[in-house]
PDB file of all heavy atoms in Angstrom:
ATOM      1  N   SER A   1     -17.662 -60.015   1.963  1.00 92.00           N
ATOM      2  CA  SER A   1     -18.400 -60.226   3.210  1.00 92.00           C
ATOM      3  C   SER A   1     -17.718 -61.288   4.066  1.00 92.00           C
ATOM      4  O   SER A   1     -17.786 -61.237   5.305  1.00 92.00           O
ATOM      5  CB  SER A   1     -19.856 -60.632   2.921  1.00 92.00           C
ATOM      6  OG  SER A   1     -19.907 -61.875   2.224  1.00 92.00           O
ATOM      7  N   VAL A   2     -17.045 -62.265   3.421  1.00 92.00           N
ATOM      8  CA  VAL A   2     -16.308 -63.294   4.159  1.00 92.00           C
ATOM      9  C   VAL A   2     -15.101 -62.662   4.848  1.00 92.00           C
ATOM     10  O   VAL A   2     -14.838 -62.894   6.029  1.00 92.00           O
ATOM     11  CB  VAL A   2     -15.859 -64.432   3.218  1.00 92.00           C
ATOM     12  CG1 VAL A   2     -15.068 -65.484   3.980  1.00 92.00           C
ATOM     13  CG2 VAL A   2     -17.069 -65.069   2.532  1.00 92.00           C
ATOM     14  N   THR A   3     -14.372 -61.849   4.095  1.00 93.00           N
ATOM     15  CA  THR A   3     -13.198 -61.167   4.640  1.00 93.00           C
ATOM     16  C   THR A   3     -13.585 -60.245   5.784  1.00 93.00           C
ATOM     17  O   THR A   3     -12.947 -60.237   6.847  1.00 93.00           O
ATOM     18  CB  THR A   3     -12.505 -60.353   3.535  1.00 93.00           C
ATOM     19  OG1 THR A   3     -12.308 -61.177   2.383  1.00 93.00           O
ATOM     20  CG2 THR A   3     -11.166 -59.819   4.008  1.00 93.00           C
ATOM     21  N   GLU A   4     -14.646 -59.474   5.586  1.00 93.00           N
ATOM     22  CA  GLU A   4     -15.094 -58.535   6.615  1.00 93.00           C
ATOM     23  C   GLU A   4     -15.509 -59.267   7.886  1.00 93.00           C
ATOM     24  O   GLU A   4     -15.241 -58.804   9.000  1.00 93.00           O
ATOM     25  CB  GLU A   4     -16.248 -57.699   6.061  1.00 93.00           C
ATOM     26  CG  GLU A   4     -15.801 -56.720   4.975  1.00 93.00           C
ATOM     27  CD  GLU A   4     -16.960 -56.184   4.163  1.00 93.00           C
ATOM     28  OE1 GLU A   4     -18.121 -56.575   4.444  1.00 93.00           O
ATOM     29  OE2 GLU A   4     -16.720 -55.385   3.235  1.00 93.00           O
ATOM     30  N   HIS A   5     -16.172 -60.413   7.721  1.00 93.00           N
ATOM     31  CA  HIS A   5     -16.592 -61.197   8.885  1.00 93.00           C
ATOM     32  C   HIS A   5     -15.375 -61.659   9.682  1.00 93.00           C
ATOM     33  O   HIS A   5     -15.335 -61.510  10.919  1.00 93.00           O
ATOM     34  CB  HIS A   5     -17.409 -62.408   8.450  1.00 93.00           C
ATOM     35  CG  HIS A   5     -17.574 -63.451   9.505  1.00 93.00           C
ATOM     36  ND1 HIS A   5     -18.403 -63.284  10.594  1.00 93.00           N
ATOM     37  CD2 HIS A   5     -16.983 -64.670   9.664  1.00 93.00           C
ATOM     38  CE1 HIS A   5     -18.326 -64.349  11.372  1.00 93.00           C
ATOM     39  NE2 HIS A   5     -17.477 -65.204  10.833  1.00 93.00           N
ATOM     40  N   LEU A   6     -14.379 -62.224   8.998  1.00 95.00           N
ATOM     41  CA  LEU A   6     -13.193 -62.729   9.685  1.00 95.00           C
ATOM     42  C   LEU A   6     -12.420 -61.603  10.361  1.00 95.00           C
ATOM     43  O   LEU A   6     -11.958 -61.742  11.496  1.00 95.00           O
ATOM     44  CB  LEU A   6     -12.303 -63.481   8.706  1.00 95.00           C
ATOM     45  CG  LEU A   6     -12.839 -64.850   8.248  1.00 95.00           C
ATOM     46  CD1 LEU A   6     -12.001 -65.398   7.103  1.00 95.00           C
ATOM     47  CD2 LEU A   6     -12.849 -65.836   9.406  1.00 95.00           C
ATOM     48  N   LEU A   7     -12.288 -60.473   9.691  1.00 95.00           N
ATOM     49  CA  LEU A   7     -11.574 -59.347  10.283  1.00 95.00           C
ATOM     50  C   LEU A   7     -12.322 -58.799  11.499  1.00 95.00           C
ATOM     51  O   LEU A   7     -11.697 -58.366  12.474  1.00 95.00           O
ATOM     52  CB  LEU A   7     -11.371 -58.249   9.242  1.00 95.00           C
ATOM     53  CG  LEU A   7     -10.371 -58.572   8.118  1.00 95.00           C
ATOM     54  CD1 LEU A   7     -10.357 -57.457   7.078  1.00 95.00           C
ATOM     55  CD2 LEU A   7      -8.966 -58.784   8.682  1.00 95.00           C
ATOM     56  N   SER A   8     -13.649 -58.840  11.459  1.00 94.00           N
ATOM     57  CA  SER A   8     -14.437 -58.375  12.603  1.00 94.00           C
ATOM     58  C   SER A   8     -14.242 -59.266  13.818  1.00 94.00           C
ATOM     59  O   SER A   8     -14.478 -58.851  14.955  1.00 94.00           O
ATOM     60  CB  SER A   8     -15.927 -58.314  12.237  1.00 94.00           C
ATOM     61  OG  SER A   8     -16.495 -59.612  12.148  1.00 94.00           O
ATOM     62  N   LYS A   9     -13.804 -60.522  13.568  1.00 95.00           N
ATOM     63  CA  LYS A   9     -13.532 -61.471  14.647  1.00 95.00           C
ATOM     64  C   LYS A   9     -12.046 -61.500  15.020  1.00 95.00           C
ATOM     65  O   LYS A   9     -11.606 -62.381  15.765  1.00 95.00           O
ATOM     66  CB  LYS A   9     -13.961 -62.875  14.200  1.00 95.00           C
ATOM     67  CG  LYS A   9     -15.462 -63.039  13.968  1.00 95.00           C
ATOM     68  CD  LYS A   9     -16.215 -63.160  15.271  1.00 95.00           C
ATOM     69  CE  LYS A   9     -17.670 -63.490  15.057  1.00 95.00           C
ATOM     70  NZ  LYS A   9     -18.380 -63.744  16.332  1.00 95.00           N
ATOM     71  N   ASN A  10     -11.298 -60.533  14.472  1.00 95.00           N
ATOM     72  CA  ASN A  10      -9.847 -60.427  14.745  1.00 95.00           C
ATOM     73  C   ASN A  10      -9.073 -61.658  14.280  1.00 95.00           C
ATOM     74  O   ASN A  10      -8.068 -62.046  14.892  1.00 95.00           O
ATOM     75  CB  ASN A  10      -9.597 -60.181  16.232  1.00 95.00           C
ATOM     76  CG  ASN A  10     -10.160 -58.859  16.705  1.00 95.00           C
ATOM     77  OD1 ASN A  10     -10.015 -57.836  16.044  1.00 95.00           O
ATOM     78  ND2 ASN A  10     -10.844 -58.879  17.856  1.00 95.00           N
ATOM     79  N   ALA A  11      -9.521 -62.273  13.203  1.00 96.00           N
ATOM     80  CA  ALA A  11      -8.826 -63.434  12.655  1.00 96.00           C
ATOM     81  C   ALA A  11      -7.531 -63.005  11.990  1.00 96.00           C
ATOM     82  O   ALA A  11      -7.385 -61.863  11.529  1.00 96.00           O
ATOM     83  CB  ALA A  11      -9.719 -64.152  11.644  1.00 96.00           C
ATOM     84  N   ASN A  12      -6.575 -63.923  11.963  1.00 97.00           N
ATOM     85  CA  ASN A  12      -5.292 -63.696  11.300  1.00 97.00           C
ATOM     86  C   ASN A  12      -5.477 -63.971   9.806  1.00 97.00           C
ATOM     87  O   ASN A  12      -5.547 -65.119   9.376  1.00 97.00           O
ATOM     88  CB  ASN A  12      -4.237 -64.621  11.895  1.00 97.00           C
ATOM     89  CG  ASN A  12      -2.856 -64.365  11.311  1.00 97.00           C
ATOM     90  OD1 ASN A  12      -2.638 -63.405  10.578  1.00 97.00           O
ATOM     91  ND2 ASN A  12      -1.913 -65.242  11.626  1.00 97.00           N
ATOM     92  N   VAL A  13      -5.574 -62.926   9.003  1.00 97.00           N
ATOM     93  CA  VAL A  13      -5.907 -63.025   7.584  1.00 97.00           C
ATOM     94  C   VAL A  13      -4.682 -62.738   6.718  1.00 97.00           C
ATOM     95  O   VAL A  13      -3.989 -61.740   6.926  1.00 97.00           O
ATOM     96  CB  VAL A  13      -7.050 -62.053   7.222  1.00 97.00           C
ATOM     97  CG1 VAL A  13      -7.226 -61.952   5.716  1.00 97.00           C
ATOM     98  CG2 VAL A  13      -8.348 -62.487   7.892  1.00 97.00           C
ATOM     99  N   VAL A  14      -4.430 -63.632   5.756  1.00 97.00           N
ATOM    100  CA  VAL A  14      -3.371 -63.444   4.771  1.00 97.00           C
ATOM    101  C   VAL A  14      -3.977 -63.637   3.385  1.00 97.00           C
ATOM    102  O   VAL A  14      -4.686 -64.616   3.146  1.00 97.00           O
ATOM    103  CB  VAL A  14      -2.206 -64.441   4.986  1.00 97.00           C
ATOM    104  CG1 VAL A  14      -1.171 -64.319   3.861  1.00 97.00           C
ATOM    105  CG2 VAL A  14      -1.548 -64.204   6.343  1.00 97.00           C
ATOM    106  N   GLY A  15      -3.708 -62.725   2.475  1.00 96.00           N
ATOM    107  CA  GLY A  15      -4.301 -62.790   1.146  1.00 96.00           C
ATOM    108  C   GLY A  15      -3.425 -63.506   0.131  1.00 96.00           C
ATOM    109  O   GLY A  15      -2.217 -63.656   0.310  1.00 96.00           O
ATOM    110  N   TRP A  16      -4.055 -63.964  -0.948  1.00 95.00           N
ATOM    111  CA  TRP A  16      -3.350 -64.581  -2.067  1.00 95.00           C
ATOM    112  C   TRP A  16      -4.222 -64.451  -3.308  1.00 95.00           C
ATOM    113  O   TRP A  16      -5.421 -64.154  -3.212  1.00 95.00           O
ATOM    114  CB  TRP A  16      -3.015 -66.047  -1.776  1.00 95.00           C
ATOM    115  CG  TRP A  16      -4.206 -66.924  -1.472  1.00 95.00           C
ATOM    116  CD1 TRP A  16      -4.941 -66.939  -0.330  1.00 95.00           C
ATOM    117  CD2 TRP A  16      -4.796 -67.894  -2.334  1.00 95.00           C
ATOM    118  NE1 TRP A  16      -5.950 -67.861  -0.414  1.00 95.00           N
ATOM    119  CE2 TRP A  16      -5.873 -68.476  -1.628  1.00 95.00           C
ATOM    120  CE3 TRP A  16      -4.511 -68.355  -3.623  1.00 95.00           C
ATOM    121  CZ2 TRP A  16      -6.691 -69.468  -2.184  1.00 95.00           C
ATOM    122  CZ3 TRP A  16      -5.311 -69.343  -4.169  1.00 95.00           C
ATOM    123  CH2 TRP A  16      -6.383 -69.895  -3.448  1.00 95.00           C
ATOM    124  N   HIS A  17      -3.632 -64.664  -4.474  1.00 94.00           N
ATOM    125  CA  HIS A  17      -4.346 -64.502  -5.736  1.00 94.00           C
ATOM    126  C   HIS A  17      -4.441 -65.846  -6.460  1.00 94.00           C
ATOM    127  O   HIS A  17      -3.412 -66.456  -6.787  1.00 94.00           O
ATOM    128  CB  HIS A  17      -3.634 -63.490  -6.634  1.00 94.00           C
ATOM    129  CG  HIS A  17      -3.520 -62.118  -6.029  1.00 94.00           C
ATOM    130  ND1 HIS A  17      -4.598 -61.278  -5.874  1.00 94.00           N
ATOM    131  CD2 HIS A  17      -2.440 -61.456  -5.526  1.00 94.00           C
ATOM    132  CE1 HIS A  17      -4.194 -60.143  -5.316  1.00 94.00           C
ATOM    133  NE2 HIS A  17      -2.896 -60.236  -5.094  1.00 94.00           N
ATOM    134  N   ALA A  18      -5.656 -66.322  -6.676  1.00 91.00           N
ATOM    135  CA  ALA A  18      -5.888 -67.597  -7.351  1.00 91.00           C
ATOM    136  C   ALA A  18      -5.887 -67.388  -8.866  1.00 91.00           C
ATOM    137  O   ALA A  18      -6.683 -66.606  -9.394  1.00 91.00           O
ATOM    138  CB  ALA A  18      -7.220 -68.198  -6.909  1.00 91.00           C
ATOM    139  N   TYR A  19      -4.987 -68.092  -9.548  1.00 88.00           N
ATOM    140  CA  TYR A  19      -4.886 -67.936 -11.004  1.00 88.00           C
ATOM    141  C   TYR A  19      -6.052 -68.606 -11.719  1.00 88.00           C
ATOM    142  O   TYR A  19      -6.490 -69.698 -11.350  1.00 88.00           O
ATOM    143  CB  TYR A  19      -3.590 -68.542 -11.525  1.00 88.00           C
ATOM    144  CG  TYR A  19      -3.478 -68.459 -13.034  1.00 88.00           C
ATOM    145  CD1 TYR A  19      -3.014 -67.301 -13.638  1.00 88.00           C
ATOM    146  CD2 TYR A  19      -3.882 -69.521 -13.842  1.00 88.00           C
ATOM    147  CE1 TYR A  19      -2.926 -67.202 -15.020  1.00 88.00           C
ATOM    148  CE2 TYR A  19      -3.804 -69.429 -15.211  1.00 88.00           C
ATOM    149  CZ  TYR A  19      -3.339 -68.274 -15.806  1.00 88.00           C
ATOM    150  OH  TYR A  19      -3.273 -68.187 -17.169  1.00 88.00           O
ATOM    151  N   SER A  20      -6.563 -67.934 -12.727  1.00 82.00           N
ATOM    152  CA  SER A  20      -7.514 -68.519 -13.670  1.00 82.00           C
ATOM    153  C   SER A  20      -7.358 -67.760 -14.978  1.00 82.00           C
ATOM    154  O   SER A  20      -6.789 -66.654 -15.005  1.00 82.00           O
ATOM    155  CB  SER A  20      -8.958 -68.404 -13.161  1.00 82.00           C
ATOM    156  OG  SER A  20      -9.380 -67.051 -13.142  1.00 82.00           O
ATOM    157  N   THR A  21      -7.835 -68.336 -16.056  1.00 80.00           N
ATOM    158  CA  THR A  21      -7.686 -67.665 -17.351  1.00 80.00           C
ATOM    159  C   THR A  21      -8.431 -66.330 -17.385  1.00 80.00           C
ATOM    160  O   THR A  21      -7.989 -65.379 -18.028  1.00 80.00           O
ATOM    161  CB  THR A  21      -8.197 -68.572 -18.479  1.00 80.00           C
ATOM    162  OG1 THR A  21      -9.540 -69.012 -18.166  1.00 80.00           O
ATOM    163  CG2 THR A  21      -7.309 -69.802 -18.639  1.00 80.00           C
ATOM    164  N   SER A  22      -9.565 -66.257 -16.681  1.00 78.00           N
ATOM    165  CA  SER A  22     -10.317 -65.001 -16.664  1.00 78.00           C
ATOM    166  C   SER A  22      -9.649 -63.953 -15.776  1.00 78.00           C
ATOM    167  O   SER A  22      -9.701 -62.752 -16.057  1.00 78.00           O
ATOM    168  CB  SER A  22     -11.746 -65.257 -16.181  1.00 78.00           C
ATOM    169  OG  SER A  22     -11.750 -65.829 -14.889  1.00 78.00           O
ATOM    170  N   ALA A  23      -8.999 -64.422 -14.691  1.00 77.00           N
ATOM    171  CA  ALA A  23      -8.351 -63.475 -13.778  1.00 77.00           C
ATOM    172  C   ALA A  23      -7.014 -62.976 -14.319  1.00 77.00           C
ATOM    173  O   ALA A  23      -6.547 -61.907 -13.922  1.00 77.00           O
ATOM    174  CB  ALA A  23      -8.138 -64.135 -12.421  1.00 77.00           C
ATOM    175  N   ALA A  24      -6.407 -63.752 -15.216  1.00 77.00           N
ATOM    176  CA  ALA A  24      -5.058 -63.433 -15.694  1.00 77.00           C
ATOM    177  C   ALA A  24      -4.975 -62.090 -16.418  1.00 77.00           C
ATOM    178  O   ALA A  24      -3.887 -61.526 -16.558  1.00 77.00           O
ATOM    179  CB  ALA A  24      -4.557 -64.549 -16.607  1.00 77.00           C
ATOM    180  N   LYS A  25      -6.111 -61.565 -16.862  1.00 80.00           N
ATOM    181  CA  LYS A  25      -6.098 -60.292 -17.589  1.00 80.00           C
ATOM    182  C   LYS A  25      -5.873 -59.098 -16.658  1.00 80.00           C
ATOM    183  O   LYS A  25      -5.584 -57.986 -17.112  1.00 80.00           O
ATOM    184  CB  LYS A  25      -7.402 -60.112 -18.357  1.00 80.00           C
ATOM    185  CG  LYS A  25      -8.636 -60.059 -17.481  1.00 80.00           C
ATOM    186  CD  LYS A  25      -9.909 -59.972 -18.334  1.00 80.00           C
ATOM    187  CE  LYS A  25     -11.161 -59.961 -17.464  1.00 80.00           C
ATOM    188  NZ  LYS A  25     -12.396 -59.925 -18.291  1.00 80.00           N
ATOM    189  N   TYR A  26      -5.998 -59.334 -15.350  1.00 82.00           N
ATOM    190  CA  TYR A  26      -5.828 -58.252 -14.391  1.00 82.00           C
ATOM    191  C   TYR A  26      -4.370 -58.156 -13.930  1.00 82.00           C
ATOM    192  O   TYR A  26      -3.699 -59.160 -13.754  1.00 82.00           O
ATOM    193  CB  TYR A  26      -6.734 -58.458 -13.177  1.00 82.00           C
ATOM    194  CG  TYR A  26      -8.208 -58.426 -13.518  1.00 82.00           C
ATOM    195  CD1 TYR A  26      -8.938 -59.606 -13.603  1.00 82.00           C
ATOM    196  CD2 TYR A  26      -8.866 -57.223 -13.754  1.00 82.00           C
ATOM    197  CE1 TYR A  26     -10.285 -59.599 -13.922  1.00 82.00           C
ATOM    198  CE2 TYR A  26     -10.215 -57.204 -14.075  1.00 82.00           C
ATOM    199  CZ  TYR A  26     -10.917 -58.385 -14.152  1.00 82.00           C
ATOM    200  OH  TYR A  26     -12.244 -58.363 -14.477  1.00 82.00           O
ATOM    201  N   LYS A  27      -3.916 -56.950 -13.729  1.00 86.00           N
ATOM    202  CA  LYS A  27      -2.559 -56.726 -13.255  1.00 86.00           C
ATOM    203  C   LYS A  27      -2.539 -56.801 -11.739  1.00 86.00           C
ATOM    204  O   LYS A  27      -3.333 -56.145 -11.059  1.00 86.00           O
ATOM    205  CB  LYS A  27      -2.054 -55.358 -13.721  1.00 86.00           C
ATOM    206  CG  LYS A  27      -0.597 -55.099 -13.368  1.00 86.00           C
ATOM    207  CD  LYS A  27      -0.141 -53.746 -13.909  1.00 86.00           C
ATOM    208  CE  LYS A  27       1.316 -53.486 -13.549  1.00 86.00           C
ATOM    209  NZ  LYS A  27       1.778 -52.170 -14.081  1.00 86.00           N
ATOM    210  N   LEU A  28      -1.633 -57.594 -11.211  1.00 88.00           N
ATOM    211  CA  LEU A  28      -1.554 -57.769  -9.766  1.00 88.00           C
ATOM    212  C   LEU A  28      -0.784 -56.625  -9.109  1.00 88.00           C
ATOM    213  O   LEU A  28       0.095 -56.031  -9.733  1.00 88.00           O
ATOM    214  CB  LEU A  28      -0.870 -59.099  -9.434  1.00 88.00           C
ATOM    215  CG  LEU A  28      -1.605 -60.367  -9.838  1.00 88.00           C
ATOM    216  CD1 LEU A  28      -0.793 -61.591  -9.428  1.00 88.00           C
ATOM    217  CD2 LEU A  28      -2.992 -60.425  -9.211  1.00 88.00           C
ATOM    218  N   PRO A  29      -1.089 -56.342  -7.859  1.00 87.00           N
ATOM    219  CA  PRO A  29      -0.329 -55.313  -7.129  1.00 87.00           C
ATOM    220  C   PRO A  29       1.139 -55.734  -7.006  1.00 87.00           C
ATOM    221  O   PRO A  29       1.457 -56.934  -6.996  1.00 87.00           O
ATOM    222  CB  PRO A  29      -1.007 -55.287  -5.753  1.00 87.00           C
ATOM    223  CG  PRO A  29      -2.376 -55.854  -5.979  1.00 87.00           C
ATOM    224  CD  PRO A  29      -2.214 -56.873  -7.068  1.00 87.00           C
ATOM    225  N   PRO A  30       2.043 -54.800  -6.918  1.00 88.00           N
ATOM    226  CA  PRO A  30       3.479 -55.122  -6.782  1.00 88.00           C
ATOM    227  C   PRO A  30       3.744 -56.032  -5.590  1.00 88.00           C
ATOM    228  O   PRO A  30       3.128 -55.885  -4.533  1.00 88.00           O
ATOM    229  CB  PRO A  30       4.120 -53.740  -6.579  1.00 88.00           C
ATOM    230  CG  PRO A  30       3.144 -52.772  -7.172  1.00 88.00           C
ATOM    231  CD  PRO A  30       1.797 -53.341  -6.943  1.00 88.00           C
ATOM    232  N   GLY A  31       4.641 -56.991  -5.796  1.00 87.00           N
ATOM    233  CA  GLY A  31       5.028 -57.890  -4.724  1.00 87.00           C
ATOM    234  C   GLY A  31       4.122 -59.088  -4.534  1.00 87.00           C
ATOM    235  O   GLY A  31       4.370 -59.913  -3.649  1.00 87.00           O
ATOM    236  N   THR A  32       3.060 -59.205  -5.331  1.00 91.00           N
ATOM    237  CA  THR A  32       2.167 -60.359  -5.231  1.00 91.00           C
ATOM    238  C   THR A  32       2.250 -61.189  -6.507  1.00 91.00           C
ATOM    239  O   THR A  32       2.823 -60.755  -7.514  1.00 91.00           O
ATOM    240  CB  THR A  32       0.710 -59.936  -4.980  1.00 91.00           C
ATOM    241  OG1 THR A  32       0.229 -59.165  -6.099  1.00 91.00           O
ATOM    242  CG2 THR A  32       0.601 -59.089  -3.724  1.00 91.00           C
ATOM    243  N   PHE A  33       1.673 -62.378  -6.483  1.00 92.00           N
ATOM    244  CA  PHE A  33       1.815 -63.303  -7.609  1.00 92.00           C
ATOM    245  C   PHE A  33       0.615 -64.248  -7.627  1.00 92.00           C
ATOM    246  O   PHE A  33      -0.150 -64.345  -6.664  1.00 92.00           O
ATOM    247  CB  PHE A  33       3.118 -64.098  -7.489  1.00 92.00           C
ATOM    248  CG  PHE A  33       3.316 -64.719  -6.134  1.00 92.00           C
ATOM    249  CD1 PHE A  33       2.797 -65.961  -5.815  1.00 92.00           C
ATOM    250  CD2 PHE A  33       4.031 -64.038  -5.142  1.00 92.00           C
ATOM    251  CE1 PHE A  33       2.963 -66.509  -4.564  1.00 92.00           C
ATOM    252  CE2 PHE A  33       4.211 -64.588  -3.885  1.00 92.00           C
ATOM    253  CZ  PHE A  33       3.671 -65.833  -3.589  1.00 92.00           C
ATOM    254  N   TRP A  34       0.482 -64.954  -8.736  1.00 92.00           N
ATOM    255  CA  TRP A  34      -0.609 -65.920  -8.883  1.00 92.00           C
ATOM    256  C   TRP A  34      -0.241 -67.243  -8.208  1.00 92.00           C
ATOM    257  O   TRP A  34       0.911 -67.660  -8.232  1.00 92.00           O
ATOM    258  CB  TRP A  34      -0.890 -66.202 -10.357  1.00 92.00           C
ATOM    259  CG  TRP A  34      -1.416 -65.056 -11.156  1.00 92.00           C
ATOM    260  CD1 TRP A  34      -0.773 -64.396 -12.171  1.00 92.00           C
ATOM    261  CD2 TRP A  34      -2.684 -64.419 -11.022  1.00 92.00           C
ATOM    262  NE1 TRP A  34      -1.556 -63.401 -12.679  1.00 92.00           N
ATOM    263  CE2 TRP A  34      -2.740 -63.385 -11.990  1.00 92.00           C
ATOM    264  CE3 TRP A  34      -3.783 -64.620 -10.186  1.00 92.00           C
ATOM    265  CZ2 TRP A  34      -3.858 -62.566 -12.134  1.00 92.00           C
ATOM    266  CZ3 TRP A  34      -4.891 -63.796 -10.316  1.00 92.00           C
ATOM    267  CH2 TRP A  34      -4.921 -62.787 -11.287  1.00 92.00           C
ATOM    268  N   VAL A  35      -1.244 -67.912  -7.650  1.00 92.00           N
ATOM    269  CA  VAL A  35      -1.089 -69.268  -7.121  1.00 92.00           C
ATOM    270  C   VAL A  35      -1.940 -70.189  -7.982  1.00 92.00           C
ATOM    271  O   VAL A  35      -3.140 -69.973  -8.130  1.00 92.00           O
ATOM    272  CB  VAL A  35      -1.545 -69.365  -5.651  1.00 92.00           C
ATOM    273  CG1 VAL A  35      -1.456 -70.814  -5.161  1.00 92.00           C
ATOM    274  CG2 VAL A  35      -0.698 -68.461  -4.777  1.00 92.00           C
ATOM    275  N   ILE A  36      -1.304 -71.187  -8.591  1.00 86.00           N
ATOM    276  CA  ILE A  36      -2.024 -72.102  -9.469  1.00 86.00           C
ATOM    277  C   ILE A  36      -2.646 -73.227  -8.644  1.00 86.00           C
ATOM    278  O   ILE A  36      -2.360 -73.392  -7.465  1.00 86.00           O
ATOM    279  CB  ILE A  36      -1.107 -72.681 -10.565  1.00 86.00           C
ATOM    280  CG1 ILE A  36       0.026 -73.499  -9.927  1.00 86.00           C
ATOM    281  CG2 ILE A  36      -0.538 -71.564 -11.431  1.00 86.00           C
ATOM    282  CD1 ILE A  36       0.860 -74.242 -10.957  1.00 86.00           C
ATOM    283  N   GLY A  37      -3.487 -74.024  -9.292  1.00 82.00           N
ATOM    284  CA  GLY A  37      -4.114 -75.139  -8.590  1.00 82.00           C
ATOM    285  C   GLY A  37      -5.389 -75.574  -9.273  1.00 82.00           C
ATOM    286  O   GLY A  37      -5.660 -75.203 -10.419  1.00 82.00           O
ATOM    287  N   GLY A  38      -6.183 -76.360  -8.570  1.00 79.00           N
ATOM    288  CA  GLY A  38      -7.379 -76.945  -9.147  1.00 79.00           C
ATOM    289  C   GLY A  38      -8.602 -76.061  -9.042  1.00 79.00           C
ATOM    290  O   GLY A  38      -8.521 -74.850  -8.835  1.00 79.00           O
ATOM    291  N   THR A  39      -9.771 -76.715  -9.137  1.00 78.00           N
ATOM    292  CA  THR A  39     -11.033 -75.988  -9.249  1.00 78.00           C
ATOM    293  C   THR A  39     -11.656 -75.631  -7.903  1.00 78.00           C
ATOM    294  O   THR A  39     -12.640 -74.905  -7.864  1.00 78.00           O
ATOM    295  CB  THR A  39     -12.037 -76.829 -10.044  1.00 78.00           C
ATOM    296  OG1 THR A  39     -12.189 -78.113  -9.408  1.00 78.00           O
ATOM    297  CG2 THR A  39     -11.565 -77.039 -11.471  1.00 78.00           C
ATOM    298  N   CYS A  40     -11.130 -76.168  -6.815  1.00 85.00           N
ATOM    299  CA  CYS A  40     -11.724 -75.906  -5.505  1.00 85.00           C
ATOM    300  C   CYS A  40     -10.628 -75.551  -4.504  1.00 85.00           C
ATOM    301  O   CYS A  40      -9.433 -75.708  -4.779  1.00 85.00           O
ATOM    302  CB  CYS A  40     -12.514 -77.112  -5.013  1.00 85.00           C
ATOM    303  SG  CYS A  40     -11.502 -78.600  -4.762  1.00 85.00           S
ATOM    304  N   SER A  41     -11.042 -75.070  -3.331  1.00 90.00           N
ATOM    305  CA  SER A  41     -10.066 -74.606  -2.344  1.00 90.00           C
ATOM    306  C   SER A  41      -9.158 -75.727  -1.848  1.00 90.00           C
ATOM    307  O   SER A  41      -7.990 -75.484  -1.526  1.00 90.00           O
ATOM    308  CB  SER A  41     -10.776 -73.948  -1.166  1.00 90.00           C
ATOM    309  OG  SER A  41     -11.734 -74.815  -0.588  1.00 90.00           O
ATOM    310  N   ALA A  42      -9.672 -76.967  -1.781  1.00 90.00           N
ATOM    311  CA  ALA A  42      -8.845 -78.084  -1.307  1.00 90.00           C
ATOM    312  C   ALA A  42      -7.654 -78.315  -2.225  1.00 90.00           C
ATOM    313  O   ALA A  42      -6.529 -78.552  -1.761  1.00 90.00           O
ATOM    314  CB  ALA A  42      -9.692 -79.349  -1.197  1.00 90.00           C
TER     315      ALA A  42
END
């Protein structure tokens, strides 16, 4: 719903994949990669 809202406002959207131990079990689409970091967006 966040993504849809921004796209409806014609925002410049770029995606990324946040690494976590639970997410690591999923296979990422070709050409993308995990971004490591802390517990919050900051």
Side-chain angles (χ1 to χ4, degrees):
S1 63
V2 179
T3 310
E4 290 164 0
H5 165 73
L6 288 170
L7 290 175
S8 73
K9 295 283 187 174
N10 296 316
N12 184 8
V13 169
V14 174
W16 58 286
H17 300 289
Y19 177 83
S20 68
T21 53
S22 59
K25 62 184 178 182
Y26 297 103
K27 185 178 180 180
L28 294 180
T32 63
F33 49 87
W34 294 113
V35 176
I36 62 173
T39 56
C40 63
S41 55

